[in-house]
Amino acid sequence: MASPEKKSFSVVSLVIDLVLSAIAFVIFYWLVNSHVPSNDPRMVMFFGASAAGCMTGVFWLALQMLKVVFKFQVDSRK
């Protein structure tokens, strides 16, 4: 019977992912904020944060997929 595989979860990895996602959110918010078609600062902040949140979610998913593919390639070379 095959030996159980080691889980690849660690607190350090989670913290790194959260920091990278927070940096991506700030960059996306900074980029999107000027493109919101409103003069109300609250609406600009709301829609800028909404768009940046969606793009940060896509960034996080892409980062997770990149980590899984990289781990698979490293393991397949062994």
Side-chain angles (χ1 to χ4, degrees):
M1 198 152 129
S3 63
E5 293 187 25
K6 179 184 169 247
K7 296 286 183 182
S8 63
F9 175 77
S10 70
V11 176
V12 174
S13 177
L14 178 65
V15 170
I16 290 171
D17 290 349
L18 289 175
V19 168
L20 288 175
S21 295
I23 291 170
F25 178 83
V26 169
I27 291 170
F28 292 145
Y29 180 76
W30 179 70
L31 290 172
V32 170
N33 205 19
S34 63
H35 295 285
V36 176
S38 178
N39 292 329
D40 184 12
R42 291 174 58 210
M43 287 294 124
V44 171
M45 189 169 34
F46 174 73
F47 286 110
S50 297
C54 291
M55 294 192 318
T56 302
V58 172
F59 171 80
W60 183 80
L61 286 171
L63 181 63
Q64 300 309 309
M65 289 189 293
L66 179 71
K67 287 170 42 178
V68 167
V69 169
F70 180 73
K71 182 170 174 26
F72 175 77
Q73 286 186 347
V74 168
D75 288 346
S76 67
R77 288 184 183 157
K78 293 179 182 178

Coordinates of all heavy atoms in Angstrom, one line a residue:
M1 N 0.8 -1.2 0.0 CA 0.0 0.0 0.0 C 0.9 1.2 0.0 O 1.9 1.3 0.6 CB -0.9 0.0 1.2 CG -2.0 0.9 1.1 SD -3.4 0.2 2.2 CE -3.8 1.7 3.1
A2 N 0.5 2.3 -0.7 CA 1.3 3.5 -0.8 C 1.3 4.2 0.5 O 0.3 4.2 1.2 CB 0.7 4.4 -1.9
S3 N 2.4 4.9 0.7 CA 2.5 5.7 2.0 C 1.7 7.0 1.8 O 1.6 7.5 0.7 CB 4.0 6.0 2.3 OG 4.5 6.8 1.2
P4 N 1.1 7.4 2.9 CA 0.3 8.7 2.8 C 1.2 9.9 2.5 O 2.3 10.0 3.0 CB -0.3 8.8 4.2 CG 0.5 8.0 5.1 CD 1.1 6.9 4.2
E5 N 0.7 10.7 1.6 CA 1.5 11.9 1.2 C 1.5 12.9 2.3 O 0.5 13.1 3.1 CB 1.0 12.5 -0.1 CG 1.1 11.6 -1.2 CD 0.8 12.2 -2.5 OE1 0.8 13.5 -2.6 OE2 0.4 11.5 -3.4
K6 N 2.6 13.7 2.4 CA 2.7 14.7 3.4 C 1.8 15.9 3.0 O 1.9 16.3 1.8 CB 4.1 15.1 3.5 CG 4.4 16.3 4.5 CD 5.9 16.6 4.5 CE 6.0 17.9 5.3 NZ 6.4 19.0 4.5
K7 N 1.1 16.5 3.9 CA 0.3 17.7 3.6 C 1.3 18.9 3.4 O 2.2 19.0 4.1 CB -0.7 18.0 4.7 CG -1.7 17.0 4.9 CD -2.7 17.0 3.8 CE -3.8 16.0 4.0 NZ -4.8 16.0 3.0
S8 N 1.0 19.7 2.4 CA 1.9 20.9 2.1 C 1.4 22.2 2.7 O 1.8 23.2 2.3 CB 2.0 21.0 0.6 OG 0.7 21.3 0.0
F9 N 0.6 22.1 3.7 CA 0.1 23.3 4.4 C 1.1 23.7 5.5 O 1.5 22.9 6.3 CB -1.3 23.1 5.0 CG -1.8 24.2 5.8 CD1 -2.2 25.4 5.2 CD2 -1.7 24.2 7.2 CE1 -2.7 26.5 5.9 CE2 -2.2 25.3 7.9 CZ -2.6 26.4 7.3
S10 N 1.4 25.0 5.6 CA 2.1 25.5 6.7 C 1.7 26.9 6.9 O 1.2 27.6 6.1 CB 3.6 25.5 6.4 OG 4.0 26.4 5.4
V11 N 1.9 27.4 8.2 CA 1.5 28.7 8.6 C 2.3 29.7 7.8 O 1.8 30.8 7.4 CB 1.6 28.9 10.1 CG1 1.2 30.3 10.5 CG2 0.6 27.9 10.8
V12 N 3.6 29.4 7.6 CA 4.5 30.4 6.9 C 4.0 30.6 5.5 O 3.9 31.7 5.0 CB 5.9 29.9 7.0 CG1 6.8 30.7 6.1 CG2 6.4 29.8 8.4
S13 N 3.6 29.5 4.8 CA 3.1 29.6 3.5 C 1.8 30.4 3.4 O 1.6 31.2 2.5 CB 2.8 28.2 2.9 OG 2.3 28.3 1.6
L14 N 0.9 30.2 4.4 CA -0.3 31.0 4.5 C 0.0 32.5 4.7 O -0.7 33.3 4.0 CB -1.2 30.5 5.6 CG -2.5 31.2 5.8 CD1 -3.4 31.0 4.6 CD2 -3.2 30.7 7.1
V15 N 0.9 32.8 5.5 CA 1.2 34.2 5.8 C 1.8 34.8 4.5 O 1.5 36.0 4.2 CB 2.2 34.3 7.0 CG1 2.7 35.7 7.1 CG2 1.5 33.9 8.3
I16 N 2.7 34.1 3.8 CA 3.3 34.7 2.6 C 2.2 34.9 1.6 O 2.2 35.9 0.9 CB 4.4 33.7 2.1 CG1 5.6 33.7 3.0 CG2 4.8 34.1 0.7 CD1 6.6 32.7 2.7
D17 N 1.3 34.0 1.4 CA 0.2 34.1 0.5 C -0.7 35.3 0.8 O -1.1 36.1 -0.1 CB -0.7 32.9 0.4 CG 0.0 31.7 -0.2 OD1 1.1 31.9 -0.9 OD2 -0.5 30.6 -0.1
L18 N -1.0 35.5 2.1 CA -1.8 36.6 2.5 C -1.1 38.0 2.3 O -1.7 38.9 1.9 CB -2.2 36.5 4.0 CG -3.2 35.4 4.3 CD1 -3.4 35.3 5.8 CD2 -4.5 35.7 3.6
V19 N 0.2 38.0 2.5 CA 1.0 39.2 2.3 C 1.0 39.6 0.8 O 0.8 40.7 0.4 CB 2.4 39.1 2.9 CG1 3.3 40.3 2.4 CG2 2.3 39.1 4.4
L20 N 1.3 38.6 0.0 CA 1.3 38.8 -1.5 C -0.1 39.2 -2.0 O -0.2 40.1 -2.8 CB 1.7 37.5 -2.2 CG 3.2 37.2 -2.1 CD1 3.5 35.8 -2.7 CD2 4.1 38.2 -2.7
S21 N -1.1 38.6 -1.4 CA -2.5 39.0 -1.8 C -2.8 40.4 -1.4 O -3.5 41.2 -2.1 CB -3.5 38.1 -1.3 OG -3.3 36.8 -1.8
A22 N -2.4 40.8 -0.2 CA -2.6 42.2 0.3 C -1.8 43.2 -0.6 O -2.4 44.3 -0.9 CB -2.2 42.3 1.7
I23 N -0.6 42.9 -1.0 CA 0.1 43.7 -1.9 C -0.6 43.9 -3.2 O -0.7 44.9 -3.8 CB 1.6 43.2 -2.0 CG1 2.3 43.4 -0.7 CG2 2.3 44.0 -3.2 CD1 3.7 42.7 -0.7
A24 N -1.1 42.7 -3.7 CA -1.8 42.7 -5.0 C -3.1 43.6 -4.9 O -3.4 44.3 -5.8 CB -2.1 41.3 -5.4
F25 N -3.8 43.5 -3.8 CA -5.0 44.3 -3.6 C -4.6 45.8 -3.6 O -5.4 46.6 -4.3 CB -5.6 43.9 -2.2 CG -6.9 44.8 -2.0 CD1 -8.1 44.4 -2.5 CD2 -6.8 45.9 -1.2 CE1 -9.2 45.1 -2.3 CE2 -7.9 46.7 -1.0 CZ -9.1 46.3 -1.5
V26 N -3.6 46.2 -3.0 CA -3.2 47.6 -2.9 C -2.9 48.1 -4.3 O -3.3 49.2 -4.8 CB -2.1 47.8 -1.9 CG1 -1.5 49.2 -2.1 CG2 -2.5 47.6 -0.5
I27 N -2.1 47.3 -5.1 CA -1.8 47.6 -6.5 C -3.0 47.7 -7.3 O -3.2 48.7 -8.1 CB -0.7 46.7 -7.0 CG1 0.6 46.8 -6.3 CG2 -0.5 46.9 -8.5 CD1 1.6 45.7 -6.6
F28 N -3.9 46.7 -7.2 CA -5.1 46.7 -8.1 C -6.0 47.9 -7.7 O -6.5 48.6 -8.6 CB -5.9 45.4 -7.9 CG -5.2 44.2 -8.5 CD1 -5.3 43.0 -7.9 CD2 -4.4 44.3 -9.7 CE1 -4.7 41.9 -8.4 CE2 -3.7 43.2 -10.2 CZ -3.9 42.0 -9.6
Y29 N -6.1 48.2 -6.4 CA -6.9 49.3 -6.0 C -6.4 50.6 -6.5 O -7.1 51.5 -7.0 CB -7.0 49.4 -4.5 CG -7.9 50.5 -4.0 CD1 -9.3 50.5 -4.0 CD2 -7.3 51.7 -3.4 CE1 -10.0 51.5 -3.6 CE2 -8.1 52.7 -3.0 CZ -9.4 52.6 -3.0 OH -10.2 53.7 -2.6
W30 N -5.1 50.8 -6.4 CA -4.4 52.0 -6.9 C -4.6 52.2 -8.4 O -4.9 53.3 -8.9 CB -2.9 51.9 -6.6 CG -2.1 53.1 -7.1 CD1 -2.2 54.4 -6.6 CD2 -1.2 53.1 -8.2 NE1 -1.3 55.2 -7.3 CE2 -0.7 54.4 -8.3 CE3 -0.7 52.1 -9.0 CZ2 0.2 54.8 -9.2 CZ3 0.2 52.5 -10.0 CH2 0.7 53.8 -10.0
L31 N -4.6 51.0 -9.2 CA -4.8 51.1 -10.6 C -6.3 51.3 -11.0 O -6.6 52.1 -11.9 CB -4.3 49.8 -11.3 CG -2.8 49.6 -11.3 CD1 -2.5 48.2 -11.8 CD2 -2.1 50.6 -12.2
V32 N -7.2 50.7 -10.3 CA -8.6 50.7 -10.7 C -9.3 52.0 -10.2 O -10.2 52.5 -10.8 CB -9.3 49.5 -10.1 CG1 -10.8 49.6 -10.2 CG2 -8.8 48.3 -10.8
N33 N -8.8 52.6 -9.1 CA -9.4 53.7 -8.4 C -9.7 54.9 -9.4 O -10.7 55.5 -9.3 CB -8.6 54.1 -7.2 CG -9.4 54.8 -6.2 OD1 -10.6 54.7 -6.2 ND2 -8.7 55.6 -5.3
S34 N -8.7 55.1 -10.3 CA -8.9 56.3 -11.2 C -9.8 56.0 -12.3 O -10.2 57.0 -13.0 CB -7.5 56.7 -11.7 OG -7.0 55.6 -12.5
H35 N -10.3 54.8 -12.5 CA -11.2 54.5 -13.6 C -12.6 54.4 -13.2 O -13.5 54.0 -14.0 CB -10.7 53.2 -14.3 CG -9.4 53.2 -14.9 ND1 -9.2 53.9 -16.1 CD2 -8.2 52.8 -14.5 CE1 -7.9 53.8 -16.4 NE2 -7.3 53.2 -15.5
V36 N -13.0 54.6 -11.9 CA -14.3 54.6 -11.5 C -15.1 55.9 -11.9 O -14.6 57.0 -11.6 CB -14.4 54.4 -9.9 CG1 -15.9 54.5 -9.5 CG2 -13.8 53.1 -9.5
P37 N -16.1 55.7 -12.7 CA -16.8 56.9 -13.2 C -17.8 57.6 -12.2 O -19.0 57.5 -12.4 CB -17.6 56.4 -14.4 CG -17.9 55.0 -14.1 CD -16.7 54.5 -13.2
S38 N -17.2 58.2 -11.2 CA -18.0 58.9 -10.2 C -17.3 60.0 -9.6 O -16.0 60.0 -9.6 CB -18.5 57.9 -9.1 OG -19.2 58.5 -8.1
N39 N -18.0 61.0 -9.0 CA -17.3 62.1 -8.3 C -17.5 61.9 -6.8 O -16.8 62.7 -6.1 CB -17.9 63.4 -8.8 CG -17.6 63.7 -10.2 OD1 -16.5 63.3 -10.7 ND2 -18.5 64.4 -10.9
D40 N -18.3 61.0 -6.4 CA -18.5 60.8 -4.9 C -17.3 59.9 -4.4 O -17.1 58.8 -4.9 CB -19.8 60.0 -4.7 CG -20.1 59.8 -3.3 OD1 -19.5 60.5 -2.4 OD2 -21.1 59.1 -3.0
P41 N -16.5 60.4 -3.5 CA -15.4 59.6 -3.0 C -15.8 58.3 -2.4 O -15.0 57.3 -2.5 CB -14.7 60.5 -1.9 CG -15.3 61.9 -2.1 CD -16.6 61.7 -2.9
R42 N -16.9 58.2 -1.7 CA -17.3 56.9 -1.1 C -17.6 55.9 -2.2 O -17.3 54.7 -2.0 CB -18.6 57.2 -0.2 CG -18.2 58.0 1.0 CD -19.4 58.3 1.9 NE -20.1 57.2 2.3 CZ -21.4 57.1 2.6 NH1 -22.1 58.2 2.4 NH2 -22.0 56.0 3.0
M43 N -18.3 56.3 -3.3 CA -18.6 55.4 -4.4 C -17.3 55.0 -5.1 O -17.1 53.8 -5.5 CB -19.5 56.0 -5.4 CG -20.9 56.1 -4.9 SD -21.7 54.5 -4.7 CE -22.2 54.6 -3.0
V44 N -16.4 55.9 -5.2 CA -15.1 55.5 -5.9 C -14.4 54.5 -5.0 O -13.8 53.5 -5.5 CB -14.2 56.8 -6.1 CG1 -12.8 56.4 -6.5 CG2 -14.9 57.7 -7.1
M45 N -14.4 54.7 -3.7 CA -13.7 53.8 -2.8 C -14.4 52.4 -2.8 O -13.8 51.4 -2.8 CB -13.7 54.4 -1.4 CG -12.9 53.5 -0.4 SD -12.5 54.3 1.2 CE -14.0 55.2 1.6
F46 N -15.7 52.4 -2.8 CA -16.5 51.2 -2.8 C -16.3 50.4 -4.0 O -15.9 49.2 -4.0 CB -18.0 51.5 -2.6 CG -18.9 50.2 -2.7 CD1 -18.9 49.3 -1.7 CD2 -19.6 50.0 -3.9 CE1 -19.6 48.1 -1.8 CE2 -20.4 48.9 -4.0 CZ -20.4 47.9 -3.0
F47 N -16.5 51.0 -5.2 CA -16.3 50.2 -6.4 C -14.9 49.9 -6.8 O -14.6 48.9 -7.4 CB -17.0 51.0 -7.6 CG -18.5 50.9 -7.5 CD1 -19.2 52.0 -7.2 CD2 -19.1 49.7 -7.8 CE1 -20.6 52.0 -7.2 CE2 -20.5 49.6 -7.7 CZ -21.3 50.8 -7.4
G48 N -13.9 50.8 -6.4 CA -12.5 50.5 -6.5 C -12.1 49.3 -5.7 O -11.4 48.4 -6.1
A49 N -12.6 49.2 -4.4 CA -12.3 48.1 -3.5 C -13.0 46.8 -4.0 O -12.4 45.7 -3.9 CB -12.7 48.4 -2.1
S50 N -14.2 46.9 -4.6 CA -14.9 45.8 -5.1 C -14.2 45.2 -6.3 O -14.0 43.9 -6.4 CB -16.3 46.1 -5.5 OG -17.1 46.6 -4.5
A51 N -13.7 46.0 -7.2 CA -13.0 45.5 -8.4 C -11.6 45.0 -8.0 O -11.2 43.9 -8.5 CB -12.8 46.6 -9.4
A52 N -11.0 45.6 -7.0 CA -9.7 45.2 -6.6 C -9.8 43.8 -5.8 O -9.0 43.0 -5.9 CB -9.0 46.2 -5.7
G53 N -10.9 43.7 -5.1 CA -11.2 42.4 -4.4 C -11.4 41.3 -5.3 O -10.8 40.2 -5.1
C54 N -12.1 41.5 -6.4 CA -12.3 40.4 -7.4 C -11.0 40.1 -8.1 O -10.7 38.9 -8.3 CB -13.3 40.9 -8.5 SG -15.0 41.0 -7.9
M55 N -10.2 41.1 -8.5 CA -8.9 40.8 -9.1 C -7.9 40.1 -8.1 O -7.1 39.3 -8.6 CB -8.4 42.1 -9.7 CG -9.2 42.6 -10.8 SD -8.6 43.9 -11.9 CE -7.8 45.0 -10.8
T56 N -8.0 40.5 -6.9 CA -7.1 39.8 -5.9 C -7.5 38.4 -5.7 O -6.7 37.5 -5.5 CB -7.2 40.6 -4.5 OG1 -6.9 41.9 -4.7 CG2 -6.3 39.9 -3.5
G57 N -8.8 38.1 -5.8 CA -9.3 36.7 -5.7 C -8.7 35.9 -6.9 O -8.2 34.7 -6.7
V58 N -8.7 36.4 -8.1 CA -8.2 35.7 -9.2 C -6.6 35.6 -9.1 O -6.1 34.5 -9.4 CB -8.5 36.5 -10.5 CG1 -7.8 35.9 -11.7 CG2 -10.0 36.5 -10.8
F59 N -6.0 36.6 -8.5 CA -4.5 36.5 -8.3 C -4.2 35.4 -7.3 O -3.3 34.6 -7.5 CB -4.0 37.8 -7.7 CG -2.6 37.8 -7.2 CD1 -1.6 37.8 -8.1 CD2 -2.3 37.7 -5.9 CE1 -0.3 37.8 -7.6 CE2 -1.0 37.6 -5.4 CZ 0.0 37.7 -6.3
W60 N -5.1 35.3 -6.2 CA -4.8 34.2 -5.2 C -5.0 32.8 -5.8 O -4.2 31.9 -5.6 CB -5.8 34.4 -4.0 CG -5.6 33.4 -2.9 CD1 -4.6 33.5 -2.0 CD2 -6.3 32.2 -2.7 NE1 -4.8 32.4 -1.2 CE2 -5.8 31.6 -1.6 CE3 -7.4 31.7 -3.4 CZ2 -6.3 30.4 -1.1 CZ3 -7.9 30.5 -2.9 CH2 -7.4 29.9 -1.8
L61 N -6.1 32.7 -6.7 CA -6.3 31.4 -7.3 C -5.1 31.0 -8.2 O -4.6 29.9 -8.3 CB -7.6 31.4 -8.1 CG -8.9 31.3 -7.3 CD1 -10.1 31.6 -8.2 CD2 -9.0 30.0 -6.6
A62 N -4.6 32.0 -9.0 CA -3.5 31.8 -9.9 C -2.2 31.4 -9.1 O -1.5 30.5 -9.5 CB -3.3 33.0 -10.8
L63 N -2.0 32.1 -8.0 CA -0.9 31.8 -7.1 C -1.0 30.3 -6.6 O 0.0 29.6 -6.6 CB -0.8 32.8 -6.0 CG 0.3 32.6 -5.0 CD1 1.7 32.8 -5.7 CD2 0.2 33.6 -3.8
Q64 N -2.2 29.9 -6.2 CA -2.3 28.5 -5.7 C -2.1 27.5 -6.8 O -1.4 26.5 -6.6 CB -3.7 28.3 -5.1 CG -4.0 29.3 -3.9 CD -3.0 29.2 -2.8 OE1 -2.6 28.2 -2.4 NE2 -2.5 30.4 -2.5
M65 N -2.6 27.8 -8.0 CA -2.4 26.9 -9.1 C -0.9 26.8 -9.5 O -0.3 25.7 -9.8 CB -3.2 27.3 -10.3 CG -4.7 27.1 -10.1 SD -5.6 27.3 -11.6 CE -5.5 29.0 -11.9
L66 N -0.2 28.0 -9.4 CA 1.2 28.0 -9.7 C 2.0 27.1 -8.7 O 2.9 26.4 -9.1 CB 1.8 29.4 -9.7 CG 3.2 29.6 -9.9 CD1 3.6 29.3 -11.4 CD2 3.7 31.0 -9.6
K67 N 1.6 27.2 -7.4 CA 2.3 26.4 -6.4 C 2.1 25.0 -6.6 O 3.0 24.1 -6.4 CB 1.8 26.9 -5.0 CG 2.4 28.2 -4.6 CD 1.8 28.8 -3.3 CE 1.5 27.9 -2.2 NZ 1.0 28.5 -1.0
V68 N 0.9 24.6 -6.9 CA 0.6 23.1 -7.1 C 1.3 22.6 -8.3 O 1.9 21.5 -8.3 CB -1.0 22.9 -7.3 CG1 -1.3 21.5 -7.8 CG2 -1.7 23.2 -6.0
V69 N 1.3 23.3 -9.4 CA 2.1 22.8 -10.6 C 3.6 22.8 -10.4 O 4.2 21.8 -10.8 CB 1.7 23.8 -11.8 CG1 2.6 23.5 -13.0 CG2 0.3 23.6 -12.2
F70 N 4.1 23.8 -9.7 CA 5.5 23.7 -9.4 C 5.9 22.5 -8.5 O 6.9 21.9 -8.7 CB 5.9 25.0 -8.7 CG 7.4 25.1 -8.3 CD1 8.3 25.3 -9.3 CD2 7.8 25.0 -7.0 CE1 9.7 25.3 -9.0 CE2 9.2 25.0 -6.7 CZ 10.1 25.2 -7.7
K71 N 5.0 22.3 -7.5 CA 5.3 21.1 -6.6 C 5.2 19.8 -7.4 O 6.0 18.9 -7.1 CB 4.3 21.1 -5.4 CG 4.5 20.0 -4.4 CD 3.7 20.2 -3.2 CE 3.8 19.0 -2.2 NZ 4.9 18.2 -2.2
F72 N 4.2 19.7 -8.3 CA 4.1 18.5 -9.1 C 5.3 18.3 -10.0 O 5.8 17.2 -10.1 CB 2.8 18.6 -10.0 CG 2.7 17.4 -10.9 CD1 2.3 16.2 -10.5 CD2 3.0 17.6 -12.2 CE1 2.2 15.1 -11.3 CE2 2.9 16.5 -13.1 CZ 2.5 15.3 -12.7
Q73 N 5.8 19.4 -10.6 CA 7.0 19.2 -11.4 C 8.3 18.8 -10.6 O 9.1 18.0 -11.1 CB 7.3 20.5 -12.2 CG 6.3 20.7 -13.3 CD 6.6 21.9 -14.2 OE1 7.5 22.8 -13.8 NE2 6.0 22.0 -15.3
V74 N 8.4 19.4 -9.4 CA 9.5 19.0 -8.6 C 9.4 17.6 -8.2 O 10.4 16.9 -8.2 CB 9.6 20.0 -7.4 CG1 10.6 19.5 -6.3 CG2 10.0 21.4 -7.8
D75 N 8.2 17.1 -7.8 CA 8.1 15.8 -7.3 C 8.2 14.8 -8.5 O 8.7 13.7 -8.3 CB 6.7 15.6 -6.7 CG 6.6 16.2 -5.3 OD1 7.7 16.6 -4.8 OD2 5.5 16.4 -4.8
S76 N 7.9 15.2 -9.7 CA 8.0 14.2 -10.8 C 9.4 14.0 -11.3 O 9.7 13.1 -12.0 CB 7.1 14.7 -12.0 OG 7.6 15.9 -12.5
R77 N 10.3 14.9 -10.9 CA 11.7 14.8 -11.3 C 12.4 13.8 -10.4 O 13.5 13.3 -10.8 CB 12.4 16.1 -11.2 CG 12.0 17.1 -12.3 CD 12.8 18.3 -12.3 NE 12.3 19.2 -13.3 CZ 12.5 20.5 -13.3 NH1 13.1 21.1 -12.3 NH2 12.0 21.3 -14.2
K78 N 11.9 13.5 -9.2 CA 12.5 12.6 -8.3 C 12.3 11.2 -8.7 O 11.6 10.7 -9.4 CB 11.9 12.8 -6.9 CG 12.3 14.1 -6.3 CD 11.7 14.3 -4.9 CE 12.0 15.7 -4.4 NZ 11.5 15.9 -3.1

